[in-house]
Amino acid sequence: MRTTLCLVLMLVALGCAEGTGSSGGTMSLVSSEGDYVPELAMVDLVNRTRAEYKLPALNWNNSLARVAWGHSKDMFANRFFSHESPATGTMVDRVKRAGIRYRRVTENIHWASAPWTMEEHIRHAHVNLLNSPGHRKNILDRDVTDIGIGFYWKGRELFVTQLFARFPL
């Protein structure tokens, strides 16, 4: 219920509509212009995985998403793949620079170059992150409550940054 309420509120704020995809039952989210919102589809996969382990769903966080998108764009523009950017530093540097106060923050990154649809990229990224012990640990972390995801997709390449956080009370 909490996840649905959070997504509905976010969709209202973004001017988006929710629909159910016909393949695999994955939630498909589209903007009012009919554009697919891939970050939200990935949040749905993350929360479905967490539910399988009896973990609470993560709340979408726009501030984390902006920082994540910036890192994905930076990796594409400057042709690197790392948690540490030559231009913006570490995840902690980026989050602090954005003025985000947190108790805990972790990061997953993913890169792929393939002639796939966005939906295929999302499924591939999610499976690959789950198959990596460190990334899986971040997805299934009991101590985080929020998530922000930023995709940067150009041509065949997709850069994904996921930021997970728990905020001060």
Side-chain angles (χ1 to χ4, degrees), residues 105-145:
V105 65
T106 61
E107 178 182 73
N108 287 345
I109 58 173
H110 173 81
W111 169 83
S113 178
W116 298 331
T117 65
M118 180 56 80
E119 291 85 356
E120 291 169 322
H121 268 293
I122 291 168
R123 283 191 296 274
H124 174 79
H126 186 66
V127 168
N128 280 349
L129 290 168
L130 286 175
N131 287 334
S132 163
H135 295 112
R136 179 184 189 85
K137 180 180 176 189
N138 289 341
I139 290 169
L140 299 176
D141 188 342
R142 298 179 181 282
D143 295 327
V144 297
T145 57

Side-chain angles (χ1 to χ4, degrees), residues 52-166:
E52 290 173 18
Y53 289 86
K54 309 290 188 242
L55 295 169
L58 299 174
N59 301 304
W60 176 259
N61 184 288
N62 284 326
S63 296
L64 290 174
R66 278 191 293 277
V67 173
W69 182 83
H71 187 58
S72 293
K73 182 180 178 189
D74 181 29
M75 288 189 291
F76 173 81
N78 293 304
R79 310 311 302 159
F80 73 95
F81 181 68
S82 175
H83 291 282
E84 188 164 346
S85 164
T88 63
T90 67
M91 158 196 62
V92 169
D93 297 330
R94 292 186 291 276
V95 170
K96 283 185 177 177
R97 191 175 305 108
I100 301 170
R101 293 180 50 227
Y102 61 89
R103 187 180 333 165
R104 176 175 180 72
V105 65
T106 61
E107 178 182 73
N108 287 345
I109 58 173
H110 173 81
W111 169 83
S113 178
W116 298 331
T117 65
M118 180 56 80
E119 291 85 356
E120 291 169 322
H121 268 293
I122 291 168
R123 283 191 296 274
H124 174 79
H126 186 66
V127 168
N128 280 349
L129 290 168
L130 286 175
N131 287 334
S132 163
H135 295 112
R136 179 184 189 85
K137 180 180 176 189
N138 289 341
I139 290 169
L140 299 176
D141 188 342
R142 298 179 181 282
D143 295 327
V144 297
T145 57
D146 289 64
I147 186 171
I149 299 175
F151 284 10
Y152 195 82
W153 188 21
K154 190 138 183 160
R156 296 169 43 119
E157 288 188 286
L158 174 67
F159 286 84
V160 178
T161 303
Q162 296 176 327
L163 284 172
F164 303 88
R166 179 176 201 91

Side-chain angles (χ1 to χ4, degrees), residues 6-61:
C6 290
L7 282 174
V8 168
L9 291 174
M10 182 176 59
L11 292 171
V12 169
L14 292 173
C16 297
E18 179 181 347
T20 304
S22 58
S23 62
T26 301
M27 183 185 296
S28 173
L29 299 162
V30 294
S31 73
S32 56
E33 290 82 35
D35 297 325
Y36 184 61
V37 182
E39 292 86 350
L40 300 182
M42 182 171 258
V43 170
D44 183 56
L45 289 176
V46 166
N47 281 333
R48 287 174 188 240
T49 299
R50 289 176 62 87
E52 290 173 18
Y53 289 86
K54 309 290 188 242
L55 295 169
L58 299 174
N59 301 304
W60 176 259
N61 184 288

